[in-house]
Amino acid sequence: MKVCHTLISLFFLTLQDGETVRTYTRKEGGSITVRCEFSYYGNRRFLCKETCKGNNILIETTKDRTQRGRYSIRYEERGKLSSDFLHVSITELEKSDSGRYRCGSVTWAGTLYDDFHLVVKE
């Protein structure tokens, strides 16, 4: 039955905005690092849960590396002909960490986002 719920969830996530959202499953107490990809260099980077407003902004920085509590960011600039990466990590995962996340990068072309979905199980 759990497989069925996971497949249904994945199906609906794929339908949202016509895009496919990567889904990661981890165990409580564990950690996760996700690599987000951006076409342009960003001078401000952040990680949000659900929307990028108010307390939903979990961490943000203008530096290449930073940590705030259980959240950390590491920016990897790869040059003009390659996409840049933003590695975001969450440690000591809790079931309440389950949900949709947005990596963000503020660039000369505007704010770019790369989304993923996290499922934390017992």
Side-chain angles (χ1 to χ4, degrees):
M1 191 62 155
K2 290 182 182 179
V3 172
C4 184
H5 288 285
T6 301
L7 290 174
I8 291 170
S9 296
L10 198 58
F11 174 75
F12 283 108
L13 285 172
T14 302
L15 289 179
Q16 291 180 351
D17 302 325
E19 64 182 80
T20 301
V21 177
R22 296 166 293 160
T23 299
Y24 300 92
T25 303
R26 296 293 186 272
K27 290 185 178 182
E28 265 185 305
S31 62
I32 186 170
T33 298
V34 175
R35 184 181 78 183
C36 299
E37 191 170 336
F38 300 102
S39 302
Y40 304 108
Y41 172 81
N43 59 5
R44 193 176 114 233
R45 300 106 187 172
F46 51 90
L47 173 66
C48 310
K49 185 170 181 189
E50 306 299 335
T51 62
C52 290
K53 295 180 182 172
N55 291 335
N56 288 352
I57 301 172
L58 304 172
I59 185 171
E60 84 179 288
T61 188
T62 56
K63 299 176 184 177
D64 286 343
R65 288 177 184 261
T66 195
Q67 183 172 349
R68 179 177 170 209
R70 300 182 306 124
Y71 308 101
S72 63
I73 287 177
R74 181 176 61 86
Y75 189 73
E76 181 182 348
E77 186 179 353
R78 300 185 61 230
K80 294 181 182 181
L81 300 177
S82 299
S83 295
D84 292 350
F85 295 140
L86 182 63
H87 304 270
V88 296
S89 299
I90 307 171
T91 60
E92 301 170 27
L93 290 169
E94 304 168 357
K95 287 185 80 173
S96 61
D97 290 324
S98 294
R100 186 174 180 136
Y101 288 83
R102 301 196 95 181
C103 300
S105 182
V106 178
T107 73
W108 63 269
T111 303
L112 305 177
Y113 297 100
D114 191 1
D115 297 355
F116 65 94
H117 190 263
L118 174 62
V119 177
V120 180
K121 295 185 175 186
E122 289 183 41

